[in-house]
């Protein structure tokens, strides 16, 4: 296996990539490598670009105020006219969530995906007042976009209608799995098409981009069908309302909740805008089988006895504004209380653990019984575990492997699996977002790197918030704020007014700062006398150093300090 991302050759990591040679295929991941989310990969051949997936990453607690994190479009921003298509492997937010932001830059990019995937995308785009140039495809279908001939292969995932894509080009072939697992007993009967994988392997796969999310999990991922009996048992013991939280696109999980509710004579109400929207689409297209008369509008739940009601809600990841978090904080119309049962039917996305546990604690404090993956099998993964990936490698027999969709530990584990099945170590590429990989003569290698940072969505602002802004927000939230206002007379070097100190978010009383005021005044007077040409900014820096040093020693804090020096 080639070196880990941290140990990649400096030349390949930092150098601008060379111009793409004629007839070679270039692969540039702009997200999804080294992280769970923000999946986006750009393929380039003969001056044309094909994009696979365009998703978002959800913020962590260290990114306060951020709503979403997008891939960095800088690499393609000046070449949008060269984009021949955007292929979407499935309808999860980490694969489609950034599509509106890309189409804002060019509305008519062909958007290619399965029927359900495009239905989810079109509903999302309608909120942005964008009508997509949509191309519906299905498994077994071939379609050409510029120099890329695409064959679509059915794969099983935690959402219906997921597809892998096989690219045939003059420079070689690429198989991109998207997210997948090999559930042999799926609810919809649609299994991962291993026969197609084997056929493509016989044809020859020059580069294999494989889902890495569960590569470090031994064995095989549990079948989705095993969730049904667990839900049934918990529904049988619930005394009052049942609130089930899951991803708003997890159609299979919602189906099992509907089936369990019907079996126990309960009505179901969808809670959360995205849940209502997505399940309405899934039902309309026939992907969700809704028992007759089982649904009730959220506004009418007061008419349903508490022991006959199920609420299917968003918020399984502890998102602050999602329905479940607001219930846990007592800020939702649904008031959780003793006797209610809450089921978190989802996994924990890395980075969300604290937020989820905070919601669990809040619900339990209100008296609810909380059932989650830690105490019951109410969730199974949508990703292939190590045993399934080994099968794929043995079936496909790729010449080169580039693990995608996962954190560094997942990528490394996936690469080791490839080696175990006979892929030469030097043909396993462990890369990072922004890596530039060229495929030529059946050999894939990293040839450089492009800038690929985080792009933050903060309210209506896209890309205006920087890492420095987030650092300031963390300081304000954790350490507090101190402002110091002084007025100086530059002619005689005296302090006319102040220093006045104002404090926010610092536990100590303002009186504590009386001790430092004379020192600030003395430092300012000395600075003006010694150098009358000091600028206002330089005088403010004098104040910052004095009070910053004092606060650090005396209060053991590092608040944000805003000095203001006025002159008369």
């Amino acid at each position: 296996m080639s070196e880990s991302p941290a140990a990649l050759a400096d030349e390949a990591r930092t150098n601008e990539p060379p111009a793409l040679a004629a007839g070679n295929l270039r692969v540039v991941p702009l997200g999804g490598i080294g992280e769970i989310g923000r999946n986006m990969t750009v393929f380039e051949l003969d001056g044309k670009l094909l994009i696979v997936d365009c998703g978002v990453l959800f913020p962590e607690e260290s990114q306060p105020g951020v709503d979403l994190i997008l891939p960095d479009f800088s690499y393609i921003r000046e070449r949008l006219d060269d984009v021949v298509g955007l292929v979407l492997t499935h309808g999860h937010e980490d694969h489609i969530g950034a599509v509106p932001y890309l189409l804002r830059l060019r509305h008519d990019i062909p958007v290619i995906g399965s029927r359900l995937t495009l239905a989810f995308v079109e509903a999302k785009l309608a909120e942005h007042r964008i009508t997509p140039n949509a191309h519906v495809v299905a498994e077994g279908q071939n379609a050409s976009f510029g120099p890329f001939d695409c064959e679509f292969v059915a794969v099983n995932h935690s959402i219906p209608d997921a597809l892998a894509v096989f690219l045939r080009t003059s420079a070689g072939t690429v198989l991109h799995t998207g997210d997948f697992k090999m559930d042999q007993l799926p609810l919809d009967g649609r299994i991962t098409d291993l026969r197609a994988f084997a056929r493509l392997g016989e044809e020859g796969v020059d580069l294999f981009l494989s889902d890495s999310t569960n590569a470090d999990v031994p064995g095989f991922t549990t079948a989705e069908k095993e969730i049904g009996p667990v839900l049934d048992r918990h529904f049988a013991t619930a005394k009052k309302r049942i609130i089930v939280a899951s991803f708003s696109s997890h159609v299979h999980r919602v189906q099992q909740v509907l089936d369990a509710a019907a079996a126990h004579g309960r009505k179901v109400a969808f809670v959360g805008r995205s849940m209502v929207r997505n399940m309405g689409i899934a039902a309309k297209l026939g992907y969700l089988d809704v028992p007759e008369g089982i649904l009730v509008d959220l506004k009418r739940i007061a008419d349903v006895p508490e022991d006959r009601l199920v609420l299917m809600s968003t918020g399984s990841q502890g998102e602050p504004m999602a329905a479940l978090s607001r219930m846990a904080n007592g800020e939702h119309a649904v008031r959780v209380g003793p006797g209610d049962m809450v089921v978190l039917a989802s996994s924990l996305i890395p980075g969300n653990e604290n937020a989820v546990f905070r919601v669990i604690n809040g619900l339990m404090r209100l008296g609810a019984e909380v059932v989650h993956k830690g105490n019951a099998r109410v969730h199974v993964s949508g990703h292939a575990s190590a045993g399934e990936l080994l099968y794929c490698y043995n079936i496909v027999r790729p010449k080169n492997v580039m693990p995608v969709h996962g954190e560094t530990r997942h990528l490394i584990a996936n690469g080791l699996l490839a080696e175990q099945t006979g892929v030469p170590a030097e043909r396993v590429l462990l890369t990072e977002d922004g890596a530039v990989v060229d495929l030529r003569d059946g050999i894939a290698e990293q040839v450089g790197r492009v800038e690929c940072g985080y792009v933050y969505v903060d309210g209506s602002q896209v890309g205006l918030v920087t890492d420095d802004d987030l650092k300031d927000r963390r300081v304000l939230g954790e350490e507090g704020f101190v402002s110091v206002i002084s007025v100086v007379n530059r002619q005689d070097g005296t302090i006319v007014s102040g220093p006045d100190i104002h404090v926010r978010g610092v536990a100590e009383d303002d009186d504590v700062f009386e001790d430092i005021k004379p020192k600030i005044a003395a430092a300012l007077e000395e600075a003006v006398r010694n150098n009358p040409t000091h600028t206002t900014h330089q005088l403010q820096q004098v104040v910052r150093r004095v009070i910053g040093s004092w606060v650090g020693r005396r209060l053991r804090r590092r608040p944000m300090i805003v000095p203001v020096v006025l002159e008369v």
Side-chain angles (χ1 to χ4, degrees):
M1 182 167 57
S2 60
E3 294 177 275
S4 66
L8 288 171
D10 288 341
E11 184 176 357
R13 282 172 53 92
T14 59
N15 276 11
E16 286 289 324
L20 180 60
N24 292 349
L25 176 67
R26 177 159 287 178
V27 184
V28 183
L30 298 181
I33 298 188
E35 61 200 358
I36 304 292
R38 214 171 60 121
N39 297 289
M40 181 175 180
T41 307
V42 178
F43 296 89
E44 179 178 357
L45 178 67
D46 298 338
K48 299 299 181 181
L49 306 176
L50 180 74
I51 302 170
V52 174
D53 288 330
C54 188
V56 296
L57 179 68
F58 292 102
E60 300 180 4
E61 290 184 333
S62 60
Q63 295 155 331
V66 173
D67 300 315
L68 297 170
I69 304 171
L70 307 179
D72 189 345
F73 299 145
S74 300
Y75 175 67
I76 62 171
R77 189 179 295 271
E78 302 303 320
R79 299 189 57 194
L80 291 171
D81 289 341
D82 296 331
V83 177
V84 296
L86 166 61
V87 174
L88 302 175
T89 59
H90 63 281
H92 281 152
E93 285 295 300
D94 59 334
H95 292 256
I96 68 170
V99 172
Y101 300 94
L102 177 62
L103 295 192
R104 283 183 187 180
L105 304 178
R106 181 189 152 197
H107 284 200
D108 65 342
I109 293 175
V111 182
I112 305 119
S114 66
R115 191 165 63 124
L116 181 65
T117 300
L118 290 188
F120 281 177
V121 170
E122 288 169 352
K124 181 182 295 293
L125 289 172
E127 298 178 0
H128 293 258
R129 299 181 180 178
I130 297 174
T131 301
N133 177 13
H135 295 254
V136 177
V137 295
E139 58 263 29
Q141 186 175 337
N142 286 71
S144 293
F145 301 93
F148 303 92
D149 179 53
C150 305
E151 179 177 342
F152 300 95
V153 181
V155 292
N156 177 251
H157 187 37
S158 55
I159 186 173
D161 246 7
L163 296 170
V165 59
F166 183 64
L167 305 180
R168 293 182 179 90
T169 75
S170 59
T173 58
V174 180
L175 178 57
H176 192 310
T177 66
D179 287 356
F180 83 108
K181 61 178 177 177
M182 290 162 55
D183 190 337
Q184 299 303 298
L185 299 169
L187 296 183
D188 59 2
R190 185 176 179 273
I191 63 173
T192 294
D193 192 350
L194 296 181
R195 290 178 299 178
F197 275 25
R199 173 174 52 80
L200 298 175
E202 290 297 322
E203 179 179 334
V205 175
D206 293 314
L207 180 60
F208 189 36
L209 278 66
S210 175
D211 179 8
S212 304
T213 310
N214 269 1
D216 59 349
V217 178
F220 293 75
T221 300
T222 305
E224 181 73 25
K225 277 185 178 290
E226 294 199 14
I227 299 298
V230 179
L231 289 175
D232 189 73
R233 287 197 298 272
H234 282 91
F235 276 41
T237 63
K239 297 178 177 61
K240 294 177 66 176
R241 293 176 301 184
I242 302 171
I243 303 167
V244 184
S246 181
F247 292 116
S248 63
S249 54
H250 201 331
V251 178
H252 295 322
R253 192 62 44 79
V254 174
Q255 182 67 67
Q256 298 199 84
V257 171
L258 291 175
D259 293 343
H264 292 274
R266 287 178 177 259
K267 299 282 189 179
V268 178
F270 293 136
V271 185
R273 187 165 57 94
S274 59
M275 181 69 72
V276 173
R277 180 191 67 199
N278 288 347
M279 291 309 111
I281 293 170
K284 181 179 179 180
L285 296 180
Y287 293 95
L288 184 69
D289 181 16
V290 181
E292 185 70 28
I294 197 171
L295 293 182
V296 60
D297 190 278
L298 185 62
K299 297 176 182 177
R300 302 297 302 274
I301 62 174
D303 300 334
V304 181
E306 289 188 333
D307 61 350
R308 288 290 176 263
L309 181 62
V310 177
L311 302 176
M312 188 71 228
S313 173
T314 58
S316 62
Q317 296 303 307
E319 305 97 311
M321 297 308 294
L324 193 65
S325 294
R326 288 157 53 210
M327 291 180 202
N329 294 331
E331 299 170 352
H332 196 276
V334 175
R335 297 292 178 174
V336 176
D340 289 336
M341 175 184 288
V342 180
V343 181
L344 272 68
S346 65
S347 62
L348 283 177
I349 293 177
N352 292 351
E353 295 90 349
N354 289 340
V356 173
F357 291 138
R358 190 157 47 242
V359 169
I360 291 174
N361 289 329
L363 293 167
M364 295 184 72
R365 194 175 296 116
L366 295 171
E369 176 188 357
V370 181
V371 180
H372 53 87
K373 188 180 178 182
N375 57 26
R377 178 164 281 179
V378 289
H379 175 73
V380 296
S381 177
H383 302 271
S385 296
E388 294 152 271
L389 293 174
L390 287 171
Y391 266 93
C392 284
Y393 284 124
N394 284 327
I395 291 170
V396 174
R397 290 292 179 187
K399 295 178 183 177
N400 302 269
V401 170
M402 181 176 162
V404 294
H405 300 177
E407 297 179 343
T408 300
R409 57 195 170 98
H410 305 128
L411 305 177
I412 292 173
N414 199 354
L416 291 172
L417 293 174
E419 283 189 46
Q420 290 174 31
T421 61
V423 180
E426 64 273 15
R427 300 275 63 85
V428 177
L429 287 79
L430 294 184
T431 58
E432 298 175 298
D433 292 340
V436 178
V437 173
D438 283 358
L439 176 67
R440 61 180 182 275
D441 300 326
I443 301 297
E445 63 179 347
Q446 184 172 345
V447 297
R449 195 176 186 285
V450 297
E451 285 298 319
C452 184
Y454 280 180
V455 176
Y456 300 108
V457 178
D458 185 350
S460 61
Q461 296 181 336
V462 179
L464 298 182
V465 175
T466 66
D467 287 327
D468 287 341
D469 294 326
L470 296 184
K471 181 179 179 182
D472 289 345
R473 291 179 182 182
R474 289 194 296 271
V475 170
L476 283 170
E478 297 167 6
E479 301 289 346
F481 171 89
V482 176
S483 67
V484 185
I485 303 173
S486 306
V487 181
V488 301
N489 186 327
R490 191 178 287 276
Q491 299 301 320
D492 58 15
T494 60
I495 304 297
V496 177
S497 176
D500 296 323
I501 298 178
H502 303 274
V503 181
R504 293 291 183 273
V506 179
E508 287 74 15
D509 294 334
D510 290 1
D511 294 344
V512 172
F513 291 87
E514 291 298 324
D515 294 343
I516 191 60
K517 288 182 178 180
K519 296 179 182 178
I520 295 172
L524 272 176
E525 290 174 345
E526 181 181 357
V528 174
R529 284 197 302 270
N530 292 344
N531 189 346
T533 63
H534 266 326
T535 65
T536 300
H537 174 72
Q538 288 172 321
L539 295 177
Q540 290 171 346
Q541 292 302 100
V542 170
V543 175
R544 186 191 303 277
R545 284 193 296 271
V546 173
I547 192 168
S549 175
W550 180 85
V551 169
R553 289 195 314 270
R554 176 75 177 271
L555 305 182
R556 296 290 189 267
R557 299 181 72 90
R558 299 182 64 184
M560 177 176 288
I561 297 172
V562 179
V564 178
V565 176
L566 305 174
E567 297 181 27
V568 295

